[in-house]
Amino acid sequence: MRNYLIAGNWKMNKTPSEAVQLAKEILTLVKDSDYRVMVAPSFVCLPGVAEVLKGSNIIVAAQNMAGTEEGAFTGETSVLMLKDLAVDAVLLGHSERRHIYGESNEQINAKVKLALKHGMMPVLCIGELLEEREAGKAETVCFEQLEKGLAGVSEKELDNVVIAYEPVWAIGTGKTATPDDADAIHASCRKKIAEMYSAAAAEKMVIQYGGSMKPENIKELMAMENIDGGLIGGASLKADSFASLANFNK
Ligand code: 13P
């Protein structure tokens, strides 16, 4: 079995004190989860949350980072700053970064490589827009995001990469991809990884699903062969709801 990862992306929610409170509540509820668990608070919440979760089974991730190590980049946050806070993972290429802030595949690729260089786990987010799905281009879009996002990443480095498939039309809309639809894209992406790297690399690759995942639908999604976890927005903002997701098998 692949190493499932259940992750909460808190997006631009929670003040630093609320985030610390949420982290404390989650910690007690998910300590016996059978899976890897991760939370991604906003930058200003990271120091407090990392402190609460130090030494626990919960991985702390950032929601983004700069594509260069340091310098005159006003408003950006460096991998070195995140490492100093014991942040071990980073979401990259989230659809909100791609579509609201115009991040390109090339910029995302630079960030993926930088994260890997510093031993951080990049979660490369991919996914198509509704019009792309309706035009029959879902796979093409995801394949391009995979190829360009992973350009220059070696097979050895790939061991530390997670992919999150988040169909943009399912994010925050209450519309979840059906388990079969989601699994079909996950399976195609796995095949693509096999072509880009090897069958062994594809078999190991953890591919999370994201988009209106919640306690009511996680079991049917996780029952699919190619779905290896969740990247959860709205339903990760309450401790009991996130704990139900992290403990979905209990
Ligand atoms: P929702 O779970 O709120 O749809 O958000 C998904 C997401 O974008 C996680 O990164």
Side-chain angles (χ1 to χ4, degrees):
M1 194 179 89
R2 285 179 285 269
N3 200 358
Y4 290 172
L5 177 63
I6 308 291
N9 174 7
W10 296 356
K11 305 192 180 183
M12 199 177 73
N13 296 293
K14 307 290 172 191
T15 62
S17 49
E18 289 168 348
V20 162
Q21 184 57 31
L22 178 58
K24 284 182 182 162
E25 289 169 17
I26 287 175
L27 183 56
T28 58
L29 296 173
V30 310
K31 63 179 187 318
D32 297 321
S33 171
D34 293 329
Y35 309 115
R36 285 188 297 168
V37 180
M38 185 172 97
V39 294
S42 72
F43 286 131
V44 291
C45 297
L46 281 171
V49 170
E51 185 61 31
V52 170
L53 300 180
K54 197 157 67 182
S56 78
N57 63 326
I58 305 179
I59 302 165
V60 180
Q63 297 174 12
N64 183 29
M65 65 175 211
T68 39
E69 274 164 12
E70 61 189 347
F73 301 102
T74 302
E76 289 291 312
T77 300
S78 150
V79 64
L80 304 174
M81 300 167 190
L82 298 174
K83 289 287 292 179
D84 191 63
L85 291 174
V87 172
D88 291 324
V90 58
L91 309 184
L92 294 174
H94 190 278
S95 68
E96 287 145 21
R97 300 301 317 169
R98 292 178 189 268
H99 299 298
I100 303 175
Y101 299 101
E103 282 190 23
S104 66
N105 281 315
E106 290 68 26
Q107 287 170 314
I108 294 159
N109 175 244
K111 297 178 184 196
V112 167
K113 287 191 287 198
L114 193 57
L116 289 168
K117 177 180 164 199
H118 289 277
M120 279 175 81
M121 178 175 83
V123 177
L124 173 62
C125 305
I126 61 170
E128 81 285 359
L129 298 164
L130 183 59
E131 54 265 38
E132 291 165 338
R133 169 158 285 253
E134 286 173 344
K137 291 187 186 151
E139 277 189 0
T140 319
V141 170
C142 291
F143 289 176
E144 185 182 7
Q145 291 173 345
L146 275 180
E147 272 179 337
K148 294 191 171 163
L150 294 174
V153 172
S154 70
E155 181 158 345
K156 189 165 181 300
E157 288 173 313
L158 200 67
D159 278 345
N160 202 22
V161 175
V162 167
I163 306 290
Y165 168 60
E166 301 200 303
V168 181
W169 47 272
I171 296 179
T173 58
K175 283 188 207 158
T176 319
T178 65
D180 286 328
D181 281 348
D183 195 60
I185 298 281
H186 283 233
S188 309
C189 289
R190 200 175 299 289
K191 208 160 149 245
K192 183 75 190 167
I193 299 281
E195 281 165 29
M196 288 163 60
Y197 292 92
S198 69
E203 185 51 38
K204 277 190 289 185
M205 176 55 74
V206 170
I207 309 179
Q208 298 177 294
Y209 169 79
S212 299
M213 196 184 235
K214 46 189 181 255
E216 299 78 49
N217 61 21
I218 187 168
K219 276 196 190 134
E220 55 180 15
L221 287 160
M222 291 301 295
M224 304 308 292
E225 189 184 335
N226 289 288
I227 300 183
D228 310 317
L231 183 53
I232 301 134
S236 73
L237 294 173
K238 289 212 165 77
D240 54 351
S241 159
F242 185 62
S244 306
L245 290 155
N247 299 320
F248 76 89
N249 60 326
K250 296 191 175 160

